[in-house]
Amino acid sequence: MRALIFTGPGQAEVREVPAPVAAPGQVIVDVERAGVCGTDVELFTGEMSYLHSGRSSYPLRPGHEWSGVVSGCGPGVDPGWAGRRVTGDTMIACGHCRRCLGGRHHVCAEMRELGIADGLPGALAEQLAFPAAYLHALPDTVDAGLGALVEPGGNAQRSVTAAALEPGERLLVLGTGTIGLLTAMIGRARGLDVHLLGRHPVFARFTRDLGFANMWTRDSLPDLPWDAVVDATNGAEMPGLAVDLVEPGRRVVYIGLSGTPSTVDTRDIVLKDVTAVGILGASSGLEEVVRSYAEGSVDPQPLVAATVGLDDVAGVLAGRRPAGAGPGPKILVDPRR
């Protein structure tokens, strides 16, 4: 089968590789769509911290946002999975440690990340071997493209939940990438007064088209009480800004990661009695976001700018926008092309 392989910093190629065989507890998925994510960009450029800590190494097959159809079941897997449309959790854990048994498998000490860390080849390929215990079935109303947006949606879902707001309260989302916009959509579906802060005024028209009238830049941001702030950016200065902006006694949620250490003055957190929450992964948000997509309360389809083939992914990762791409931030991949 064909698969995209990172062979070194800035180097990617489509290779013919052996098709996967389902081990005990695994299924084989025919991949219909996979998303290109900021993490994939960092793995491609060599900036991803895992490459420096030894958790990831080249050659590496990326792809952790995906959907597809189960085409085969390994020993010990319910054969009822065959033929079902699915997506899956990125965080694959041991299943028996104290953290896993306590519902925190996404921080298991032995946790592996599909398409990110060594040992679990990702979904930027025609087929994927995947543990059945981490599958999530997709209803008919969630098509392949929406299925590939479940993983980023799960991250956004967890971010909104962590903000702990009631309907009518004001949420400020820093960042207008895929996670930021999904956070805004999910917040709106929960009845929150959502505002977005972006880097460039050019995004204002797109966000207005998505139904968000309150789009600001740093210079235009109004002096309002922000009941919660979600930082979905990669700016090293933004975590500190989130603490500065949030109302005393409320919450800041960190889902974005900068390439360099961020500076937050903990005196500001203490003296404002702010709760700071970090979000790692989509795990506990996946089921709810599938329901939201299925019922139509959240529709992320406008975020998809283009769908490309495997041969086009290296160019996308290098910053080249596909010809005819729409204004959205997300590029999807059809590995069958």
Side-chain angles (χ1 to χ4, degrees):
M1 69 169 187
R2 299 171 75 238
L4 182 75
I5 308 294
F6 293 161
T7 57
Q11 301 174 16
E13 57 187 62
V14 177
R15 290 181 175 175
E16 290 285 338
V17 302
V21 176
Q26 289 186 332
V27 299
I28 301 301
V29 176
D30 294 341
V31 180
E32 294 183 302
R33 292 290 188 277
V36 178
C37 169
T39 300
D40 300 319
V41 174
E42 290 188 353
L43 288 167
F44 172 70
T45 62
E47 297 172 353
M48 174 67 175
S49 62
Y50 286 3
L51 292 166
H52 305 288
S53 67
R55 189 166 180 175
S56 303
S57 61
Y58 301 117
L60 182 149
R61 193 175 94 198
H64 61 278
E65 304 173 358
W66 59 274
S67 68
V69 177
V70 175
S71 60
C73 298
V77 175
D78 180 353
W81 279 112
R84 299 190 72 179
R85 296 184 54 255
V86 295
T87 187
D89 195 340
T90 299
M91 311 302 208
I92 311 300
C94 75
H96 54 74
C97 70
R98 184 172 182 266
R99 295 174 189 174
C100 288
L101 296 176
R104 295 176 290 127
H105 79 270
H106 63 295
V107 290
C108 169
E110 299 180 28
M111 187 269 293
R112 297 175 295 164
E113 296 175 69
L114 180 85
I116 298 173
D118 288 347
L120 288 172
L124 280 167
E126 293 177 324
Q127 289 188 313
L128 170 71
F130 191 81
Y134 293 86
L135 288 172
H136 288 263
L138 296 175
D140 292 340
T141 49
V142 178
D143 65 16
L146 294 183
L149 289 166
V150 167
E151 196 278 341
N155 280 278
Q157 186 78 50
R158 290 193 64 211
S159 298
V160 175
T161 299
L165 296 179
E166 298 294 330
E169 292 190 301
R170 188 176 292 116
L171 171 66
L172 176 63
V173 180
L174 310 182
T176 54
T178 299
I179 298 293
L181 291 173
L182 283 168
T183 299
M185 289 178 169
I186 292 167
R188 177 173 61 190
R190 291 192 179 187
L192 305 182
D193 177 17
V194 177
H195 295 243
L196 286 148
L197 187 146
R199 187 174 292 177
H200 303 294
V202 70
F203 292 113
R205 179 175 179 178
F206 179 59
T207 54
R208 282 198 299 270
D209 289 343
L210 294 175
F212 296 105
N214 297 316
M215 169 67 194
W216 315 104
T217 64
R218 186 67 188 93
D219 292 336
S220 66
L221 185 69
D223 184 16
L224 295 173
W226 307 108
D227 298 312
V229 179
V230 174
D231 176 17
T233 75
N234 60 4
E237 75 286 0
M238 300 305 278
L241 177 63
V243 174
D244 290 342
L245 292 173
V246 74
E247 276 285 278
R250 305 309 295 264
R251 292 189 171 207
V252 295
V253 180
Y254 296 118
I255 180 66
L257 285 174
S258 64
T260 57
S262 304
T263 301
V264 178
D265 191 335
T266 58
R267 292 173 297 182
D268 294 334
I269 293 177
V270 171
L271 294 174
K272 292 185 71 172
D273 196 27
V274 166
T275 299
V277 183
I279 300 295
L280 175 67
S283 301
S284 63
L286 294 172
E287 289 188 12
E288 189 170 354
V289 85
V290 169
R291 286 195 297 270
S292 297
Y293 290 0
E295 69 188 20
S297 61
V298 176
D299 178 15
Q301 186 58 50
L303 304 186
V304 179
T307 301
V308 302
L310 281 178
D311 292 321
D312 303 308
V313 177
V316 171
L317 292 166
R320 294 194 291 274
R321 200 154 176 88
K330 177 59 71 175
I331 304 296
L332 294 182
V333 181
D334 182 348
R336 302 164 297 183
R337 288 190 181 182

